[in-house]
Amino acid sequence: MTHVVVPRIDAARAWRDAARDLLLSQVPPQEVTWGDTRQDRGLFDTPGPPGPARPVTGSVTVPRSFLQMADTVVWHADPARFARLYAFLWRLIEAPHLMSDRGDAHLSQLRQMEKNVRRCQHKMKAFVRFREIGDPAGPRRSFAAWFEPTHHTVEPTAGFFARRFADMDWRILTPDISAVFEDGKVRFEEDHPRPDLPDDASEILWVTYFRNIFNPARLKVKAMQSEMPKKYWKNMPEAAAIPDLIAGAPARAREMALNAPGLPPPRMAAVQAQQAHLTSAWDGPADDLPRQVSACTRCPLHRTATQAVPGEGPLSARLMIVAEQPGDQEDLQGRPLVGPAGQLFDRIADDAGLDRNGAFVTNAVKHFKFRPRGRQRIHQRPDAGEIQHCRWWLEAEIQLVRPAVILALGATAALSLTGSGADLMQRRGNVETGPDGIPVLITLHPAYLLRQPDADKKAAATEHFRNDLGLARHMSENTVFPRTHA
Ligand code: URA
């Protein structure tokens, strides 16, 4: 019997190496036991490499999709994870099609473990709260956070924090391994005791912000707890405000109703009657909306565009992302934000921990407006009338999805959602009010980053954009807002 000890740090690489050596030595799964240095402290102290005793040379070919899955599953808390991976790998060598066999119970179990780890990474990105531990006036500011992840996610998630907080030193301490980032380099350390972290002024700001975005009239305690599980509360400053906010919600909601605006001005009825066709809410079936959008002839843009591009994404999404209008690629493919600007958006969203697939993505205007130049179609900004005509569709999408937060990419989306055409650069990063009081976070359009010729300005704008996407993610995870649709 071979016993392999995988170290706690750099476990993904160590598991791969050991698994490759075992395969090359033809050691079947039933003849291997696996442990890590959490369970095998004694063994870890024993000199000699883990795995087969003989040095092994050669290589094995396995599907890339397996390696990607394994690189995530190794961070699962299940002590049997290494053994499960190796047993599946052993079968995979004989039957490479297994990676696409959805009925294979062994694969489903590993996929579920992969999902659990990713979810834990996602929670870590959202719920780590840093406190300042160094001199705020020092050359490099220094922060620390205490976090208790369900799985061993510190190492695979550290890159996200390193990119995000590259200009400061920080450490994320956990009961397991800890990440320490100093002078631009991350290292991992074992067994840090829980530190006594100071209160931090930025926490007060954060709690105030959280109190302000909390809407008592829309409180849904269960939804709130499933987005922000209680186990994380003890290390999150804003969580201290939650019981208070919940207890005070009914009284505050009554007060809001009493203070609601009174009678509308006399002109309003006439204006509303005139615009009834533009303002009546969508009441058709959800799955008919894309077809209706595709048949739209409300404005002349449908004459030259290839097709209308309706929004896409889960109707249960808490975040709605609204861009300007389809570009050349979107017009041809019939999907929003898939061209160069969309691809840039996806990359930065990924850095910010924002999962685009969990959001509903759409445009303020559904048809591509362009000017032909030779064989090219040059993008033209939609005018106020086109934005106004298309607003009906955008509002219909908002009615269906009822997002907790809307992210407005660029001036057209901001105008359509808030009615204000004020300077975008002054507003980016602000939370304004959109249809039905839904918070609208204003940010740049990714095409602005693509067009920016100055490298420094581009880097700064990209950083702002990434922060805005991180805030959108955070707000969508934490804001309480009605979920009135079924
Ligand atoms: N630009 C947008 O605003 N939306 C798209 O869908 C593509 C590019």
Side-chain angles (χ1 to χ4, degrees):
M1 191 66 92
T2 305
H3 185 69
V4 182
V5 180
V6 179
R8 285 200 276 170
I9 295 173
D10 207 9
R13 193 197 48 75
W15 180 84
R16 269 191 195 205
D17 288 351
R20 189 205 52 224
D21 290 357
L22 290 165
L23 278 182
L24 287 169
S25 310
Q26 293 286 303
V27 184
Q30 59 278 18
E31 284 177 23
V32 193
T33 54
W34 296 82
D36 70 13
T37 47
R38 293 172 191 85
Q39 306 132 8
D40 288 285
R41 283 168 197 278
L43 282 167
F44 186 53
D45 296 339
T46 311
R54 289 178 289 116
V56 198
T57 52
S59 61
V60 206
T61 306
V62 288
R64 181 195 279 276
S65 54
F66 171 78
L67 291 179
Q68 280 166 346
M69 179 178 78
D71 277 353
T72 302
V73 174
V74 288
W75 305 113
H76 199 280
D78 180 355
R81 64 198 179 283
F82 301 130
R84 291 193 207 287
L85 280 169
Y86 184 63
F88 184 75
L89 177 60
W90 183 262
R91 292 174 59 218
L92 189 62
I93 295 298
E94 292 304 314
H97 70 275
L98 268 187
M99 271 317 280
S100 44
D101 182 351
R102 285 165 177 251
D104 188 84
H106 196 164
L107 177 63
S108 317
Q109 183 185 43
L110 291 173
R111 285 289 187 212
Q112 186 55 47
M113 291 169 80
E114 182 185 25
K115 227 173 166 176
N116 295 343
V117 173
R118 287 203 193 288
R119 187 171 156 78
C120 182
Q121 286 189 268
H122 180 66
K123 294 283 176 222
M124 183 169 168
K125 290 176 190 172
F127 297 146
V128 161
R129 296 286 179 268
F130 287 104
R131 286 156 164 111
E132 184 135 29
I133 52 170
D135 172 6
R140 213 169 144 85
R141 296 178 72 183
S142 184
F143 295 81
W146 175 253
F147 190 68
E148 294 170 37
T150 308
H151 301 285
H152 308 300
T153 38
V154 171
E155 192 174 326
T157 322
F160 164 84
F161 291 96
R163 284 193 297 280
R164 193 120 199 261
F165 303 114
D167 57 345
M168 53 181 77
D169 290 339
W170 49 259
R171 48 191 58 210
I172 301 173
L173 308 170
T174 83
D176 184 29
I177 68 163
S178 299
V180 180
F181 184 78
E182 274 171 355
D183 296 324
K185 285 202 192 71
V186 192
R187 64 173 193 278
F188 299 97
E189 294 177 354
E190 302 187 31
D191 301 323
H192 265 285
R194 181 178 181 151
D196 193 12
L197 294 173
D199 283 346
D200 181 345
S202 65
E203 274 185 6
I204 297 166
L205 194 67
W206 183 240
V207 176
T208 309
Y209 167 74
F210 185 75
R211 279 185 184 281
N212 280 313
I213 60 170
F214 180 87
N215 184 340
R218 321 276 189 162
L219 177 63
K220 284 264 198 289
V221 177
K222 277 214 176 106
M224 184 173 176
Q225 286 181 349
S226 90
E227 289 304 323
M228 196 200 273
K230 267 198 161 163
K231 79 180 267 252
Y232 297 106
W233 287 22
K234 57 181 182 293
N235 296 314
M236 296 173 66
E238 68 269 36
I242 292 175
D244 211 23
L245 289 169
I246 292 178
R252 279 186 61 204
R254 273 195 303 279
E255 193 187 331
M256 277 168 68
L258 286 175
N259 293 333
L263 288 177
R267 267 183 62 247
M268 195 164 161
V271 174
Q272 279 180 345
Q274 200 188 357
Q275 298 200 333
H277 69 292
L278 294 177
T279 54
S280 56
W282 170 261
D283 61 359
D287 55 1
D288 201 33
L289 184 58
R291 196 182 61 78
Q292 296 279 340
V293 172
S294 303
C296 180
T297 54
R298 280 169 178 253
C299 81
L301 293 184
H302 73 278
R303 296 206 191 108
T304 46
T306 310
Q307 58 188 317
V309 178
E312 66 174 28
L315 294 183
S316 58
R318 290 179 55 81
L319 174 66
M320 179 181 261
I321 299 166
V322 181
E324 183 193 66
Q325 59 161 349
D328 183 69
Q329 282 303 309
E330 289 79 10
D331 170 80
L332 296 172
Q333 296 184 36
R335 295 186 53 213
L337 278 180
V338 290
Q343 288 162 20
L344 179 63
F345 175 86
D346 287 353
R347 284 198 296 279
I348 301 176
D350 200 40
D351 273 359
L354 191 155
D355 175 18
R356 171 198 168 138
N357 296 325
F360 189 90
V361 182
T362 192
N363 282 299
V365 172
K366 311 296 186 209
H367 280 110
F368 179 30
K369 181 175 180 183
F370 62 92
R371 166 171 61 81
R373 190 168 68 196
R375 288 169 160 219
Q376 282 182 311
R377 302 190 296 172
I378 309 298
H379 163 272
Q380 298 268 276
R381 242 191 187 191
D383 63 29
E386 287 148 359
I387 296 172
Q388 172 63 15
H389 277 100
C390 235
R391 192 154 183 255
W392 195 86
W393 294 119
L394 181 59
E395 292 201 346
E397 289 173 325
I398 294 172
Q399 289 300 325
L400 282 181
V401 178
R402 304 286 305 150
V405 178
I406 304 177
L407 176 67
L409 304 180
T412 299
L415 173 62
S416 181
L417 289 162
T418 66
S420 163
D423 182 14
L424 190 81
M425 288 305 177
Q426 305 290 327
R427 299 162 73 194
R428 66 135 291 278
N430 290 354
V431 179
E432 300 185 10
T433 304
D436 279 349
I438 300 177
V440 175
L441 174 62
I442 311 283
T443 191
L444 305 171
H445 192 287
Y448 170 85
L449 306 177
L450 286 176
R451 286 194 306 264
Q452 182 54 254
D454 180 298
D456 288 346
K457 283 194 186 149
K458 185 174 182 151
T462 305
E463 184 57 25
H464 282 319
F465 189 62
R466 187 179 300 114
N467 289 342
D468 289 346
L469 299 196
L471 181 56
R473 185 208 69 213
H474 185 87
M475 287 175 66
S476 68
E477 280 161 357
N478 296 319
T479 312
V480 180
F481 207 77
R483 319 283 303 154
T484 48
H485 61 280

